[in-house]
Amino acid sequence: MSAPVRVRFAPSPTGYLHIGGARTALLNWLWARHTGGTFVLRIEDTDRERSTDEAVRAILDGMRWLGLDWDEGPDIGGRYGPYFQMLRLDIYRAYAEQLVKAGKAYACYCTKEDLDAQREVARAEKRQFLYPGTCRDLPYDPSRRHVIRFRLPKLLEVTFTDLVKGPITRPGSTLQDEVIVRADGVPLYNFGAVVDDVTMEINLVSRGDDHVNNTAIQVLLYEALGYPVPAFAHLPMILGADKTRLSKRHGATSVTAYRDMGFLPEAVVNYLVRLGWSHGDQEIFTMGEMVKHFGYDHVGATAGVFNPDKMVWVNQTWIKSLTPAELARRAVPYYQAAGLAVEGDARLPDVAKAFQERAKTLVDLVAQSRYLFAPVEMDPKAREKFLVPDAAPVLQGIRDGLAASATVDAAGLEKLFHDVAAGRSLGLGKVAQPVRVALTGGTASPGIYDVVLLLGREESLRRLDAALALAAS
RNA sequence: GGCCCCUUCGUCUAGCGGUUAGGACGUCGGCCUCUCACGUCGAAAACAUGGGUUCAAGUCCCGUAGGGGUCACCA
């Protein structure tokens, strides 16, 4: 029996939750849930220049919206806390001292400027720059400003096995005495992450593959610290259409931006999991199905291009699958954002039902159904084509029929429309289209009977009268 | 440039030595139809390249090309 899985997502709070970070978080979460293990959320805020509380909030919000709950981390704590690196400085200091005492790390007094200059020279000579070990054997002088560097052991190469890429080997000659603690005592990424993963007993490190090159030095750090090396799973990057790393240039990259565009969290998660992972031919997954089937053996090794069209399709598929009541509930905030007061409107579920096969996003749903909650905004082209004198008798026929009927229902409307069409030897389209323009202001909508029903008799009559006036002029 | 990783339709992918190379998005056509959608039927569309290994290679090995990543007192 192997130890229970402990995985983590460790974002640095320097911006919003990126779509790529969300996928990393998702896969870790899935593995934890699949195995019954623990999902840890840790905030790597040691870059004080760029870390902000606002970003922490944005990341937590994004995770919650996606439905990725953490078992240990910010807000809820846990027995391996704290879960903010800046609150763990004592821990790093202790481990750093341990390494220095053991001669596995040392104080380096070189200045940043000096090193930059050396790098510059190396570049000019087209030479690879590796720290030459200038301070390697200097006596320790705490009164001088210094960083702590890891003393690279003598070795030929470092090898580790990656769950998605297989064995990865890196020549020792490309490694250097990396700085692990800054002059101000704050650890650098490679050290902080290793110490945290050790002390939090993380046994699988699954992260973006932009970290593969850090892994060798981290493996050495685990060994120097005397701890077992965890398993690694480096997830391929998400690329833009031009095959470069996905960035702002390619459009929205933050999870919240997709929320605001009207994507369902189920759809975002569904799309992201399929970008790099597969389960046969299945495209649509509920969270439960993902948890059940997920495994690193089917995580692909290739970087994937983010395809907005497919994500829209996934979203549309999810919108269709919700019950009308649930869809209506989810749409309310989007109506409000559009300035439409819909709370308490009993038609909402019916509206959702009428539009759920047409809406690509919740924003789209609101836009398409706007005329049900606001005055008609007449499309000039539609008016010009359909609200013409020829259409007046038809509109009048529908108007009168509607006014004469005591109750309105789908069957009655169907009869009315067919009678008016038959009475003038017209196809149904010749009747439905002018009415559609009259009621909605445009040429595309749900079935015309549904529109009348949703609008109600009085409002429909009002709009028909207004259209009649336009058709006559 | 050094090092690391990657390479099946435009895109996401299935494939785990023997397949007419399958599915999905997108595209194009047909059907359905009161519009728009939905649905449905169909079409075009891929194993980067050169060598091996093998009776047999998309599947294994090596090279080449191309792409990505990384080379900080960022993460």
Side-chain angles (χ1 to χ4, degrees):
Chain A
M1 258 328 247
S2 49
V5 166
R6 287 183 59 83
V7 291
R8 44 67 158 189
F9 174 54
S12 74
T14 54
Y16 299 112
L17 181 59
H18 187 274
I19 214 82
R23 189 184 56 153
T24 301
L26 171 63
L27 299 202
N28 273 294
W29 181 88
L30 286 174
W31 188 237
R33 294 295 171 261
H34 177 80
T35 58
T38 303
F39 177 58
V40 178
L41 177 59
R42 179 174 77 223
I43 305 297
E44 306 210 330
D45 54 356
T46 54
D47 183 346
R48 287 132 104 200
E49 307 276 292
R50 300 191 300 147
S51 297
T52 66
D53 291 343
E54 188 194 357
V56 171
R57 273 194 301 278
I59 289 167
L60 301 195
D61 283 351
M63 301 265 300
R64 288 194 191 97
W65 182 70
L66 290 172
L68 307 180
D69 56 327
W70 49 99
D71 305 307
E72 298 173 20
D75 292 354
I76 60 174
R79 64 193 179 95
Y80 296 86
Y83 294 90
F84 286 82
Q85 290 193 319
M86 286 309 287
L87 265 26
R88 301 171 63 82
L89 262 22
D90 291 346
I91 300 172
Y92 310 122
R93 187 172 308 121
Y95 279 93
E97 271 170 26
Q98 177 191 321
L99 288 181
V100 171
K101 282 209 178 74
K104 292 175 177 175
Y106 60 90
C108 169
Y109 311 98
C110 296
T111 62
K112 180 101 164 60
E113 295 66 36
D114 193 21
L115 290 169
D116 285 344
Q118 291 181 49
R119 256 189 287 272
E120 189 58 37
V121 172
R123 182 146 36 107
E125 296 172 0
K126 296 190 167 204
R127 211 185 65 231
Q128 166 98 331
F129 178 76
L130 291 174
Y131 179 68
T134 317
C135 303
R136 254 195 160 196
D137 301 306
L138 260 35
Y140 181 47
D141 179 359
S143 68
R144 288 177 69 188
R145 186 177 174 81
H146 65 275
V147 301
I148 308 278
R149 277 185 192 272
F150 176 57
R151 187 188 303 272
L152 197 69
K154 298 237 180 304
L155 38 55
L156 262 24
E157 56 185 33
V158 181
T159 298
F160 62 93
T161 299
D162 191 283
L163 260 44
V164 347
K165 294 174 191 291
I168 295 177
T169 299
R170 174 141 182 213
S173 59
T174 64
L175 267 17
Q176 64 176 343
D177 287 0
E178 216 63 56
V179 359
I180 56 175
V181 181
R182 296 174 169 88
D184 62 3
V186 177
L188 249 23
Y189 171 72
N190 280 316
F191 188 59
V194 167
V195 169
D196 285 343
D197 287 336
V198 156
T199 54
M200 293 181 181
E201 293 180 24
I202 300 300
N203 44 31
L204 169 62
V205 173
S206 177
R207 78 251 274 202
D209 76 2
D210 48 337
H211 285 298
V212 279
N213 290 306
N214 290 319
T215 308
I217 198 80
Q218 291 179 14
V219 166
L220 263 18
L221 248 9
Y222 281 104
E223 289 170 350
L225 256 14
Y227 286 92
V229 178
F232 292 98
H234 286 99
L235 311 170
M237 302 271 84
I238 297 179
L239 275 23
D242 60 358
K243 303 257 191 179
T244 62
R245 191 193 191 126
L246 189 67
S247 72
K248 280 70 43 189
R249 296 196 339 271
H250 301 103
T253 54
S254 84
V255 167
T256 43
Y258 285 94
R259 179 191 64 196
D260 295 345
M261 284 187 275
F263 284 83
L264 263 20
E266 292 94 327
V268 174
V269 159
N270 193 152
Y271 177 72
L272 289 179
V273 82
R274 279 289 292 111
L275 187 52
W277 173 78
S278 62
H279 178 65
D281 284 341
Q282 190 170 345
E283 296 286 351
I284 301 299
F285 294 85
T286 62
M287 280 285 207
E289 289 173 320
M290 286 180 222
V291 168
K292 181 176 179 191
H293 299 299
F294 181 77
Y296 282 95
D297 51 341
H298 280 90
V299 172
T302 35
V305 173
F306 184 80
N307 183 343
D309 284 343
K310 184 154 184 180
M311 189 156 99
V312 166
W313 173 78
V314 173
N315 197 50
Q316 198 171 0
T317 303
W318 271 99
I319 284 177
K320 282 188 290 181
S321 78
L322 295 181
T323 63
E326 175 64 9
L327 179 57
R329 191 182 70 75
R330 307 249 201 144
V332 168
Y334 294 85
Y335 278 112
Q336 291 170 335
L340 299 171
V342 298
E343 44 272 75
D345 194 319
R347 299 129 85 207
L348 240 30
D350 289 333
V351 172
K353 184 172 183 170
F355 286 90
Q356 74 183 142
E357 288 187 338
R358 290 164 238 271
K360 294 177 187 303
T361 65
L362 294 175
V363 167
D364 188 30
L365 171 58
V366 168
Q368 283 194 45
S369 60
R370 182 178 189 88
Y371 56 79
L372 294 174
F373 306 96
V376 166
E377 293 166 26
M378 188 59 67
D379 170 25
K381 287 227 267 298
R383 175 194 167 179
E384 192 183 331
K385 183 167 179 192
F386 292 102
L387 300 186
V388 293
D390 276 0
V394 166
L395 290 170
Q396 191 68 51
I398 297 295
R399 188 232 170 286
D400 293 344
L402 201 54
S405 52
T407 58
V408 222
D409 56 50
L413 286 170
E414 185 172 358
K415 182 173 188 315
L416 171 61
F417 275 71
H418 276 97
D419 286 350
V420 169
R424 315 198 140 262
S425 304
L426 294 171
L428 194 55
K430 293 291 185 195
V431 179
Q433 274 309 78
V435 174
R436 173 169 284 114
V437 173
L439 300 184
T440 72
T443 55
S445 83
I448 194 63
Y449 314 138
D450 286 336
V451 175
V452 174
L453 257 16
L454 254 11
L455 241 23
R457 187 169 70 163
E458 300 315 311
E459 180 60 21
S460 295
L461 287 173
R462 262 195 292 280
R463 292 185 184 193
L464 284 166
D465 285 336
L468 243 9
L470 288 174
S473 64

